[in-house]
Amino acid sequence: MSTAHHRIGVPEFLRTGVVFDQLTQDRATELIGRYPVPRSALLPLLHLVQSVEGFVSQDGIAFCADQLALETAEVAAVATFYTMYKRKPCGEHLVSVCTNALCAVLGGDAILRTLTDHLGVAKDGTAGEPGETGSITIEAAECLAACDHAPVVTVDYEYYDEQNPDSALDLVQALQRGEKPHPTRGGALSDFRTAELEIAGIFGDTPEGAARVAAEVDGPSATEQTLRGSHLAEQNHWQAPVMPEHVDLPPVPEKK
Amino acid sequence: MAMSDESPTPAAAAVAPLTPVLTRRWASPRSWTIGTYEQLDGYTALKSVLGGPSPANPDQLIELMKNSGLRGRGGAGFPTGLKWSFLPQGDGKPHYLVVNADEGEPGTCKDIPLMMADPHSLIEGCIITSYAIRAPFCAIYVRGEAIHALRRLTVAVNEAKAKGYLGKNILGSGFDLEIVVHAGAGAYICGEETALLDSLEGRRGQPRLKPPFPAVAGLYACPTVVNNVETICSVPPIVLGGAEWYRSLGTEKSPGPKIYSLSGHVTRPGQYEAPMGTTLRQLIEMAGGMQGGIPLKFFTPGGSSTPIFTPEHLDVPLSFDDVAAAGSMLGTTALMCFNETVSVPWAVWKWLEFYKHESCGKCTPCREGTGWLVQILRRVVTGEGTMADLDTLADAASNIAGRSFCALGDAAATPILSSFKYFRSDFEDLVTGRTAPVVSTHDLVGAH
């Protein structure tokens, strides 16, 4: 099929000519094997190719289609549906600022403005050369399910809670210098591509990967907010009613 | 559905304001490890079901869930035991359990902390539920962005496998189960159960026509139970404590404890697990009152898709039926509290931008309607709206509600319809110029 004719409504994916290596191939095979029906692995496979290239390219689409014996159009239709699949090369880090109503009212809109002004790009833009240290893609995100920590920013999907324009600017400037401040909740920060590998479902299938995941899994998860109810209950000796020593399961009712 | 034996009801007098059941391990050191979980009764419910000389009859578990009165924690409040019982038995098809962990309803922030702090409680719930519904395969569909929850769950699955709680012939019972931890890719609509199933099948996450319901034709067109994280995590404690114990918490029609997520302008936002039927007044008091003493203006009982409430609803018991009787929905008990400094039209506009972005495009009322609603709201919040615009908003919202393919369209109409009910004058003031525009045209271009 000729690529010279651009058809309206057909999504464009960049061609990179990348050849996916044996490790990626093996990972794809392993992911597909997890499901009763192979096509269920399509979302993980798209995350996988994104972990290799930092975005989803036409070559990535073709790789996924090959693995699952699908048409590239079928894969492209899926890739364009989901926000997490990026069609332009992403920076070393993806910074997401929640601008849904609750975070926005507590400062999310101001944070996004401060960061886009500082980076000199519009939202969904990338400051720096994608893939190079300190390059950053910034996006406005929908609710990140951390509303008790508003306003929330994530970097490569790790939580940086209770931000304000100054703290978020400090964070982004540190990232630009190549530093990796630890998230409030989550594993030690790596980069967008490494995060995408884990989201694909590959958690430590190499010695280095296994060591990284083993450390990351112990990263903090519960903050003061998370535990407020637990602590208040403990201080006041509030408990759920005590369970009986032993209970039997009810009998199966007779069929009418 | 109540049990017919005449055992006395437990003294209802001394129920504490907070009753940690699902959250009771959260503050323990390394609560996410199997070691901590087992020290704190973890996997004892599973052992009681599968570990004895003869495993329990799966139908007994379904009966137990019916007796407990547990209702789905994903928002709709459908009776869990009844849902399980809808699966046809002996139909020769494989059955599946799919856990909806695609937490994304604005304001909702309970399932991700639950999966991070206590992943094994979800795994144990999945094993017992899969056994009850005769499913050899369970998928936990986790929101793609929730990377730390994905990590914790994946490690927990491996730990459970190593202990023989998962895999072949679990605890010698002859029951086999595989659990896959599956990441989504950023689409709010996938929280809708049939869209989730399409997404899990590797397709665009668009809802399916119902019927057939997932109980009959779900994942791969086979009988499937789709339950929320908090629902499945409630299963092990119900097995351990029994239906009567579970019913000693909460209200008659909404039994059990519930994780209430307080956010916004309260002094101490966070997760508070209390009996069903607790009021926002009680919760705000536990959270140290309103921030800076600035009074509450409006709140959502269960996320942005539930009609907003005002201070007159502070004493509504937050249970499925009481909230419905007061004109809203319990949803996910995501209590977003906004004080008097917040412009209602502004918040409604922000929410509508969200629904427009997340509309899947399958049906016309939602796809086109959310687009038009946003365009009109942009005029209103920048001070360029007219009174006719307000009528159009109300008219369009009423025509989307009930006419869209799935609940997302209804949800998009909800902020407009409910805010007009209580705060229409706030919109009118923006139109007449009595209130200054809440967004400048310049900011609007940058914002979305």
Side-chain angles (χ1 to χ4, degrees):
Chain A
M1 200 166 60
S2 164
T3 55
H5 302 287
H6 176 78
R7 285 190 294 159
I8 292 168
V10 176
E12 292 279 318
F13 290 88
L14 297 175
R15 290 175 189 276
T16 56
V18 69
V19 176
F20 293 96
D21 64 7
Q22 190 58 44
L23 180 60
T24 306
Q25 177 65 60
D26 294 345
R27 284 170 167 166
T29 307
E30 199 266 318
L31 288 172
I32 292 166
R34 292 181 189 179
Y35 298 90
V37 173
R39 185 167 175 164
S40 281
L42 181 52
L43 267 62
L45 290 183
L46 285 162
H47 284 300
L48 179 67
V49 296
Q50 189 155 256
S51 79
V52 175
E53 292 205 85
F55 72 112
V56 177
S57 68
Q58 184 62 34
D59 309 81
I61 298 274
F63 175 82
C64 296
D66 268 357
Q67 303 304 309
L68 298 170
L70 295 171
E71 294 298 327
T72 52
E74 293 175 287
V75 177
V78 172
T80 52
F81 186 83
Y82 297 94
T83 309
M84 288 176 77
Y85 301 130
K86 308 300 180 192
R87 273 182 271 171
K88 286 184 289 187
C90 214
E92 181 193 16
H93 298 295
L94 173 67
V95 175
S96 315
V97 182
C98 178
T99 56
N100 205 299
L102 189 105
C103 271
V105 81
L106 295 172
D109 279 352
I111 291 171
L112 181 66
R113 245 191 326 270
T114 301
L115 297 184
T116 48
D117 284 354
H118 166 72
L119 294 170
V121 296
K123 81 180 168 69
D124 298 326
T126 298
E129 196 55 41
E132 285 188 9
T133 302
S135 57
I136 287 173
T137 299
I138 183 144
E139 66 177 9
E142 294 303 355
C143 184
L144 292 165
C147 316
D148 47 344
H149 299 83
V152 170
V153 170
T154 63
V155 180
D156 308 331
Y157 305 116
E158 309 282 3
Y159 285 120
Y160 293 78
D161 299 322
E162 294 183 273
Q163 295 294 305
N164 59 51
D166 290 340
S167 67
L169 185 60
D170 287 347
L171 169 63
V172 162
Q173 286 174 332
L175 296 173
Q176 287 184 298
R177 292 191 298 266
E179 295 166 19
K180 303 201 172 185
H182 203 288
T184 322
R185 292 175 294 155
L189 192 65
S190 48
D191 54 40
F192 175 69
R193 292 189 194 191
T194 309
E196 276 293 315
L197 184 65
E198 295 189 2
I199 293 165
I202 305 294
F203 287 90
D205 61 350
T206 61
E208 313 84 72
R212 192 190 67 247
V213 171
E216 281 171 349
V217 78
D218 283 339
S221 57
T223 62
E224 196 185 330
Q225 282 89 325
T226 316
L227 298 177
R228 265 177 179 146
S230 305
H231 287 154
L232 190 63
E234 198 185 337
Q235 284 159 20
N236 291 287
H237 308 288
W238 291 337
Q239 288 175 344
V242 178
M243 288 180 182
E245 277 292 302
H246 178 79
V247 281
D248 288 319
L249 290 175
V252 178
E254 282 180 36
K255 290 224 162 54
K256 283 172 193 153
Chain B
M1 217 52 74
M3 284 188 293
S4 55
D5 64 340
E6 58 277 3
S7 56
T9 44
V15 172
L18 292 177
T19 50
V21 174
L22 305 167
T23 60
R24 74 185 182 95
R25 300 181 192 88
W26 286 16
S28 304
R30 294 169 56 79
S31 61
W32 54 92
T33 59
I34 197 164
T36 305
Y37 188 65
E38 287 187 312
Q39 271 173 22
L40 298 169
D41 300 333
Y43 290 111
T44 51
L46 179 69
K47 285 173 189 161
S48 78
V49 171
L50 290 183
S54 65
N57 180 336
D59 286 337
Q60 288 183 283
L61 290 162
I62 296 176
E63 190 64 12
L64 172 67
M65 286 309 133
K66 284 184 176 175
N67 293 346
S68 76
L70 172 64
R71 296 173 67 174
R73 270 35 177 165
F78 194 83
T80 304
L82 198 58
K83 189 185 255 191
W84 294 6
S85 73
F86 286 157
L87 264 67
Q89 297 301 335
D91 54 352
K93 289 181 181 172
H95 295 179
Y96 297 112
L97 172 64
V98 175
V99 178
N100 186 343
D102 192 38
E103 184 164 61
E105 168 71 18
T108 310
C109 47
K110 64 186 178 69
D111 294 336
I112 288 173
L114 179 48
M115 291 186 286
M116 293 196 294
D118 201 5
H120 282 285
S121 68
L122 179 59
I123 307 293
E124 186 178 8
C126 287
I127 305 168
I128 297 171
T129 306
S130 297
Y131 178 72
I133 65 165
R134 289 92 161 165
F137 178 80
C138 161
I140 306 175
Y141 186 106
V142 184
R143 180 173 175 171
E145 294 92 335
I147 190 167
H148 209 41
L150 286 163
R151 246 178 229 137
R152 290 268 170 91
L153 283 171
T154 302
V155 171
V157 164
N158 293 340
E159 287 179 329
K161 241 180 221 165
K163 284 264 185 172
Y165 298 137
L166 264 179
K168 296 272 176 215
N169 191 20
I170 296 169
L171 300 176
S173 65
F175 176 60
D176 304 336
L177 177 68
E178 290 297 330
I179 295 182
V180 163
V181 179
H182 178 96
Y188 167 72
I189 185 62
C190 293
E192 196 281 336
E193 63 177 4
T194 61
L196 186 151
L197 292 171
D198 259 35
S199 179
L200 183 56
E201 291 181 5
R203 299 168 193 278
R204 295 164 74 91
Q206 294 189 317
R208 301 174 179 175
L209 195 64
K210 293 192 273 195
F213 289 91
V216 176
L219 186 64
Y220 315 130
C222 292
T224 302
V225 165
V226 185
N227 273 147
N228 169 260
V229 171
E230 195 184 350
T231 311
I232 294 293
C233 290
S234 302
V235 171
I238 292 173
V239 169
L240 285 178
E244 198 180 324
W245 167 81
Y246 194 70
R247 285 182 169 279
S248 71
L249 285 168
T251 66
E252 193 197 334
K253 289 181 177 167
S254 300
K258 184 77 192 72
I259 304 176
Y260 292 96
S261 307
L262 261 73
S263 62
H265 291 124
V266 296
T267 306
R268 292 190 291 273
Q271 309 299 322
Y272 296 83
E273 189 180 3
M276 273 279 195
T278 302
T279 67
L280 184 63
R281 189 185 302 283
Q282 293 168 318
L283 290 164
I284 289 181
E285 195 184 311
M286 289 191 266
M290 291 297 290
Q291 216 179 78
I294 304 173
L296 178 73
K297 184 170 186 182
F298 64 103
F299 69 100
T300 64
S304 63
S305 303
T306 61
I308 58 170
F309 270 169
T310 66
E312 70 179 88
H313 302 102
L314 273 167
D315 296 310
V316 172
L318 296 170
S319 76
F320 290 109
D321 297 284
D322 292 299
V323 173
S328 185
M329 293 183 290
L330 187 67
T332 53
T333 56
L335 297 149
M336 292 189 277
C337 302
F338 295 89
N339 70 21
E340 285 185 346
T341 67
V342 182
S343 155
V344 174
W346 175 88
V348 170
W349 161 62
K350 286 296 245 181
W351 281 328
L352 261 295
E353 291 278 359
F354 164 75
Y355 290 109
K356 172 181 166 281
H357 183 256
E358 298 298 337
S359 175
C360 79
K362 180 162 181 159
C363 76
T364 310
C366 178
R367 181 188 64 242
E368 302 299 320
T370 52
W372 285 106
L373 291 175
V374 160
Q375 290 186 49
I376 299 169
L377 278 167
R378 287 178 183 170
R379 282 206 293 275
V380 173
V381 293
T382 52
E384 290 166 11
T386 63
M387 286 298 182
D389 278 340
L390 301 187
D391 293 337
T392 308
L393 278 176
D395 185 44
S398 312
N399 275 296
I400 295 168
R403 290 185 175 81
S404 55
F405 200 86
C406 80
L408 195 150
D410 302 334
T414 291
I416 291 173
L417 297 175
S418 65
S419 64
F420 272 30
K421 187 170 166 189
Y422 303 112
F423 296 104
R424 183 164 170 132
S425 62
D426 289 24
F427 289 83
E428 290 170 355
D429 287 350
L430 274 168
V431 168
T432 58
R434 211 170 149 252
T435 315
V438 282
V439 185
S440 74
T441 315
H442 172 262
D443 284 346
L444 192 62
V445 174
H448 286 278

